[in-house]
């Protein structure tokens, strides 16, 4: 490399750095303007739906975040799998209240009447939480199935969500969330399965899947 090549190299790098700085400055201005415009505060209704893995773990992540700030969170689990819930073991110790529907997967109980009664009782717990000003965040885990199977009337769910305390956040998880709940929500994320280990014959493992 000659001396003039080295000088050229330096000036090319300087131009690149300047262009990068100018671009980042533009991005920063855009982000700052959006942050300045977002001034409202309200309880958020978040729906985590779709067929991919990560809906409940995301909901529990938000519960952990809430509890970590000394706020009050509560969880209603509408479908209790056969497995012990790792999140419950931990979060109950820091004061997060859990309400768990007494039955397992509906294809396991195969008893509609029993499922409806269990869903009704869990929903009554949920309704109490959705009236309680002292609770900052309510996680309604796997609620979508209760509406799909018509174990709980959609209208009751919508009404309770609409009438909840103004600053209370609610998270609803589960596949195939009803359109009307999606319309009511402030934030909706759909988790898409690109791959799932289960399809390669790998079983659900403690500490990772539950
Ligand atoms: P997680 O609790 O791991 O966040 P999830 O709430 O998104 O999962 P659910 O539909 O509630 O998913 O299913 C719960 C269980 O089924 C978990 O053990 C999860 O690993 C598994 N699971 C989730 N998605 C899939 C999938 N696409 N194929 C097979 N198993 C899945
Ligand atoms: Mg789930």
């Amino acid at each position: 490399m000659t001396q003039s090549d080295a000088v050229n190299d330096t000036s090319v790098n300087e131009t690149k750095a300047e262009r990068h700085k100018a671009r980042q400055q533009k991005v920063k201005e855009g982000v700052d303007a959006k942050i300045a415009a977002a001034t409202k505060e309200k309880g958020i209704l978040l729906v985590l739906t779709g067929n991919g893995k990560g809906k409940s773990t995301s909901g529990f992540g938000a519960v952990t975040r809430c509890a970590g700030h000394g706020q009050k969170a509560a969880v209603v689990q509408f479908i209790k799998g056969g497995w012990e819930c790792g999140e419950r073991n931990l979060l109950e110790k820091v004061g997060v209240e859990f309400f768990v529907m007494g039955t397992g997967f509906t294809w396991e109980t195969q008893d509609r009447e029993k499922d409806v009664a269990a869903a009704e009782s869990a929903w009554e717990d949920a309704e109490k939480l959705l009236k309680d000003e002292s609770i900052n965040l309510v996680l309604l885990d796997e609620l979508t199935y209760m509406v799909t199977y018509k174990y709980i009337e959609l209208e009751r769910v919508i009404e309770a969500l609409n009438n909840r305390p103004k600053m209370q956040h609610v998270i609803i998880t589960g596949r195939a969330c009803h359109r009307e709940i999606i319309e009511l929500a402030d934030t909706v994320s759909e988790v898409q399965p690109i791959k799932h280990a289960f399809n390669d014959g790998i079983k659900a493992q403690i500490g990772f899947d539950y």
Side-chain angles (χ1 to χ4, degrees), residues 88-185:
R88 182 180 181 184
N89 293 346
L90 184 74
L91 291 166
E92 275 188 337
K93 289 186 190 146
V94 294
V96 177
E97 258 194 295
F98 275 68
F99 300 85
V100 183
M101 191 168 125
T103 56
F105 293 112
T106 188
W107 52 90
E108 273 172 8
T109 63
Q110 298 175 3
D111 181 340
R112 188 179 156 87
E113 241 169 71
K114 202 172 141 208
D115 283 353
V116 170
E120 171 65 30
S121 160
W123 179 248
E124 282 169 15
D125 292 329
E127 277 180 333
K128 281 188 201 120
L129 297 170
L130 294 170
K131 286 182 185 151
D132 187 340
E133 297 261 356
S134 76
I135 300 186
N136 300 95
L137 169 65
V138 181
L139 170 61
L140 303 172
D141 194 33
E142 321 296 351
L143 175 68
T144 60
Y145 305 97
M146 301 300 104
V147 175
T148 305
Y149 291 131
K150 301 199 184 335
Y151 291 177
I152 303 170
E153 272 176 61
L154 173 69
E155 290 67 31
R156 278 179 78 188
V157 174
I158 301 276
E159 196 188 318
L161 291 172
N162 272 328
N163 294 328
R164 74 186 196 275
K166 212 172 141 263
M167 294 308 293
Q168 188 181 69
H169 305 299
V170 176
I171 303 176
I172 293 174
T173 79
R175 297 179 187 204
C177 186
H178 195 285
R179 183 178 40 81
E180 283 190 44
I181 298 178
I182 287 180
E183 275 166 22
L184 189 65

Side-chain angles (χ1 to χ4, degrees), residues 18-81:
E18 277 161 21
R19 272 203 225 117
H20 175 80
K21 189 171 180 331
R23 265 200 308 268
Q24 292 309 110
Q25 177 60 27
K26 265 227 141 96
V27 172
K28 182 174 158 43
E29 281 163 17
V31 173
D32 286 351
K34 280 186 185 158
I35 292 172
T39 53
K40 290 181 271 184
E41 276 190 359
K42 65 171 278 205
I44 296 295
L45 174 58
L46 166 65
V47 170
L48 299 167
T49 192
N51 296 336
K53 175 181 170 65
K55 302 175 291 295
S56 295
T57 38
S58 172
F60 281 116
V63 168
T64 310
R65 189 176 272 181
C66 175
H69 285 291
Q71 296 184 352
K72 221 171 140 188
V75 179
V76 185
Q77 287 181 295
F78 283 92
I79 293 182
K80 182 185 170 292

